[in-house]
């Protein structure tokens, strides 16, 4: 049967027939339904009781195609099952940072969940220069808990392998493999370039061998390193914030992949916000530098907070569970050294993935608002060139950038160098 999006009345009636949801929302006749989906894949509705606005939910439904493109790009609706399973799993691990699931329907491919009415999408907040004092701590906690508890550092090997095979989300992984790791480095028809972006910058993505090798390495890691259950698309549009709370939404790309992919997505998007601040800060009439420094501070706090908590979880659980990655005779110094080695490798992966994620947002088909909303073509291109230069350095130098402070220094240098050219 041909997919038809719900009308407001149909959705209200549907929700009225689900006892738990009806108990939350009240009489279907009192419901306001507004479609608000601005993402690339799905339909999203805010449903609110007009007589009691505190009673509201979000409904997300997967159509059998990619919404951004339409019916010419079919996509299986079963992706919603991956999203629901991931929301439940991450919600169990991190209830303070994941919206509650009230109802899921595997025949209508929809989920009804907590409406974060007093929160906004982080990307929008960053474009406005807003400060979120708790976001870095919250996100590092979310990352440490979700990435650690899905991995072989915590799960028994058989449970982990079964969980990984149940979470094979190949269709959405294929989107990432193509749009993040492949097409941006080719002359692909889906790529979109802003008009003033120098040809040499585009050409370099296709011809600079160290960059091509690094990107291919990251694609290999994405496809083969099933380390833990990932969110899979953790950009700043998948994070909702206010001054006190942080929620991670939209894990439809969830699968077992390399830990650095989620952390790298966060870092990439903070760096995109950093470079594009040069425009948004100036049109706000504010000096962009102070806010740029705040963004870099968040990046540093997220990595450092994440890695400290991750290692703590590892240490605590290892002594309790006796799960070991280095022989029993290697207690003490070798174990500490192995953890440090593991985290260095994870940082290198994270930076490589961050580089790919930045490049795809500059030359690939799915862009980010902080770049596309720069109306001055030359100003936009200048920012894009900085993003590409930073991304290349992250990819090519990922193994020698020894800590996250060096990444902050790199971003400042690229900003300064090109600003004075
Ligand atoms: C064609 S879908 C484009 C992008 O939207 C999602 O948010 C993912 O980032 C995907 O790559
Ligand atoms: Mg999404």
């Amino acid at each position: 049967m041909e997919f038809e999006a719900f009308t407001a009345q149909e959705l209200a009636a549907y929700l009225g027939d689900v006892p738990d949801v009806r108990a939350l929302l009240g009489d279907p006749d009192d419901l306001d339904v507004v479609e608000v989906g601005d993402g690339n894949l799905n339909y999203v509705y805010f449903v609110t009781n007009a007589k009691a606005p505190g009673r509201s939910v979000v409904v997300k439904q997967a159509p059998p195609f990619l919404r951004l493109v339409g019916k010419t790009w079919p996509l299986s609706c079963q992706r919603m099952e991956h999203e629901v399973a991931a929301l439940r799993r991450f919600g169990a691990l991190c209830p303070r940072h994941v919206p509650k699931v009230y109802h899921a329907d595997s025949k209508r491919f929809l989920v009804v969940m907590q409406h974060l009415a007093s929160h906004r999408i982080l990307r929008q907040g960053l474009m406005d220069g807003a400060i979120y004092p708790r976001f870095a701590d919250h996100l590092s906690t979310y990352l440490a808990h979700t990435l650690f508890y899905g991995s072989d550092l915590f799960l028994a090997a058989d449970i982990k392998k079964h969980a990984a095979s149940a979470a094979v989300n190949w269709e959405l992984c294929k989107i990432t493999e193509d749009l993040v790791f492949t097409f941006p480095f080719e002359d692909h028809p889906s790529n979109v370039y802003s008009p003033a972006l120098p040809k040499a910058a585009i050409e370099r993505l296709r011809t600079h061998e160290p960059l091509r090798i690094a990107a291919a390495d990251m694609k290999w890691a994405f496809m083969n390193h099933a380390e833990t259950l990932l969110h899979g698309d953790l950009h700043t549009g998948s994070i909702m914030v206010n001054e006190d709370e942080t929620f991670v939404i939209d894990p439809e790309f969830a699968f077992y992949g390399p830990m650095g992919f989620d952390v790298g997505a966060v870092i990439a998007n903070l760096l995109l916000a950093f470079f594009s601040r040069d425009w948004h800060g100036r049109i706000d009439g504010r000096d962009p530098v102070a806010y740029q420094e705040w963004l870099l501070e968040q990046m540093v706090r997220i990595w450092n907070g994440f890695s400290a908590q991750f290692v703590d979880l590892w240490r605590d659980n290892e002594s309790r569970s006796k799960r070991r990655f280095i022989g029993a005779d290697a207690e003490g110094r070798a174990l500490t050294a192995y953890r440090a080695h593991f985290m260095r490798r994870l940082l290198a992966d994270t930076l490589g993935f961050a580089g790919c994620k930045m490049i795809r947002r500059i030359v690939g088909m799915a862009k980010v608002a902080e770049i596309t909303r720069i109306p001055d073509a030359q100003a936009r291109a200048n920012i894009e060139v900085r993003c590409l230069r930073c991304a290349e350095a992250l990819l090519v130098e990922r193994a020698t950038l020894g800590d996250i402070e060096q990444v902050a220094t790199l971003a400042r240098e690229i900003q300064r160098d090109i600003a004075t050219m």
Side-chain angles (χ1 to χ4, degrees):
M1 208 171 65
E2 178 88 348
F3 172 85
E4 288 292 342
F6 278 112
T7 64
Q9 289 78 8
E10 285 165 354
L11 186 54
Y14 172 88
L15 296 172
D17 284 342
V18 181
D20 288 353
V21 178
R22 189 187 178 111
L24 270 168
L25 285 176
D27 189 334
D29 290 339
D30 295 335
L31 299 182
D32 273 345
V33 176
V34 190
E35 208 279 314
V36 293
D38 61 354
N40 294 326
L41 275 79
N42 302 300
Y43 289 87
V44 180
Y45 304 85
F46 288 167
V47 183
T48 309
N49 185 317
K51 293 184 180 154
R55 301 175 78 176
S56 62
V57 297
V58 168
V59 179
K60 184 170 176 184
Q61 187 178 31
F65 49 81
L66 187 88
R67 190 176 179 191
L68 176 71
V69 174
K71 292 181 182 170
T72 55
W73 187 327
L75 207 55
S76 125
C77 301
Q78 273 72 24
R79 66 187 187 271
M80 184 49 76
E81 289 177 26
H82 293 293
E83 174 155 8
V84 170
L87 278 169
R88 289 190 164 132
R89 174 73 182 145
F90 295 146
L93 293 174
C94 247
R96 288 174 55 213
H97 302 306
V98 179
K100 288 187 195 62
V101 172
Y102 300 133
H103 168 73
D105 184 334
S106 59
K107 294 202 176 68
R108 306 294 294 259
F109 310 107
L110 65 75
V111 59
V112 181
M113 58 191 157
Q114 183 181 1
H115 181 199
L116 301 168
S118 63
H119 306 71
R120 66 191 301 220
I121 293 287
L122 178 61
R123 188 183 306 286
Q124 301 298 330
L126 299 185
M127 281 171 63
D128 290 347
I131 299 280
Y132 298 105
R134 307 190 63 193
F135 141 72
D137 289 343
H138 290 162
L139 206 61
S140 31
T141 300
Y142 168 88
L143 288 166
H145 283 73
T146 56
L147 301 184
F148 176 79
Y149 284 111
S151 78
D152 284 291
L153 297 174
F154 176 74
L155 296 174
D158 55 337
I159 293 184
K160 151 78 176 356
K161 286 183 178 65
H162 280 118
S165 58
V168 171
N169 194 0
W170 68 268
E171 247 186 323
L172 295 209
C173 283
K174 177 80 168 76
I175 290 179
T176 305
E177 287 151 22
D178 289 343
L179 296 192
V180 177
F181 298 108
T182 312
F183 299 164
F185 301 92
E186 302 173 344
D187 182 13
H188 195 272
S190 69
N191 290 339
V192 181
Y193 310 107
S194 63
L197 186 63
K199 291 242 171 349
I202 300 167
E203 222 18 59
R204 191 170 170 87
L205 297 174
R206 300 176 195 155
T207 56
H208 187 52
E209 199 170 297
L211 178 62
R212 294 296 304 260
I213 291 172
D217 248 356
M218 299 325 297
K219 180 173 177 178
W220 177 261
F222 179 84
M223 295 179 78
N224 291 286
H225 297 177
E227 295 175 348
T228 197
L229 181 64
L230 299 181
H231 177 283
D233 195 27
L234 193 42
H235 53 79
T236 43
S238 296
I239 300 171
M240 294 193 71
V241 280
N242 63 25
E243 288 231 326
D244 303 314
E245 292 183 311
T246 306
F247 284 85
V248 175
I249 62 170
D250 280 359
E252 62 222 310
F253 283 76
F255 79 113
Y256 274 71
M259 297 180 179
F261 190 71
D262 274 1
V263 196
V266 174
I267 287 179
N269 280 267
L270 289 175
L271 288 169
L272 292 168
F274 169 85
F275 288 112
S276 61
R277 191 72 209 151
D278 201 47
W279 170 266
H280 297 288
R282 283 183 212 285
I283 56 156
D284 283 358
R286 287 184 270 170
D287 173 7
V289 175
Y291 194 70
Q292 283 179 315
E293 282 303 313
W294 181 80
L295 288 165
L296 294 182
E297 186 193 323
Q298 305 320 298
M299 176 183 77
V300 169
R301 283 178 57 194
I302 287 170
W303 171 264
N304 288 339
F306 156 71
S307 56
Q309 290 186 65
F310 187 92
V311 169
D312 282 350
L313 289 170
W314 185 352
R315 201 180 287 117
D316 291 352
N317 280 280
E318 193 167 52
S319 49
R320 244 176 264 145
S321 70
K322 302 267 183 285
R323 197 152 288 134
R324 287 189 292 260
F325 269 80
I326 191 159
D329 53 344
E331 299 297 323
R333 280 179 54 193
L335 197 52
T336 305
Y338 178 61
R339 285 196 189 103
H341 165 84
F342 185 101
M343 296 311 289
R344 266 197 308 276
R345 183 182 52 74
L346 180 48
L347 178 61
D349 268 14
T350 296
L351 301 181
F353 288 126
C356 292
K357 291 276 207 173
M358 291 175 78
I359 291 169
R360 65 80 59 106
R361 296 300 187 191
I362 304 302
V363 301
M365 73 180 277
K367 305 228 176 280
V368 288
E370 59 266 47
I371 303 282
T372 55
R373 295 216 186 132
I374 300 173
D376 176 325
Q378 193 53 54
R380 173 173 165 176
N382 291 345
I383 287 166
E384 291 177 320
V385 167
R386 287 175 201 146
C387 292
L388 292 176
R389 191 172 283 191
C390 182
E392 178 182 321
L394 294 180
L395 272 155
V396 175
E397 296 164 29
R398 66 191 187 285
T400 49
L401 286 160
D403 59 43
I404 194 72
E405 281 81 5
Q406 288 182 36
V407 178
T409 302
L410 171 77
R412 283 186 202 103
E413 281 170 6
I414 289 169
Q415 172 68 27
R416 202 176 39 237
D417 275 6
I418 301 189
T420 55
M421 264 167 65

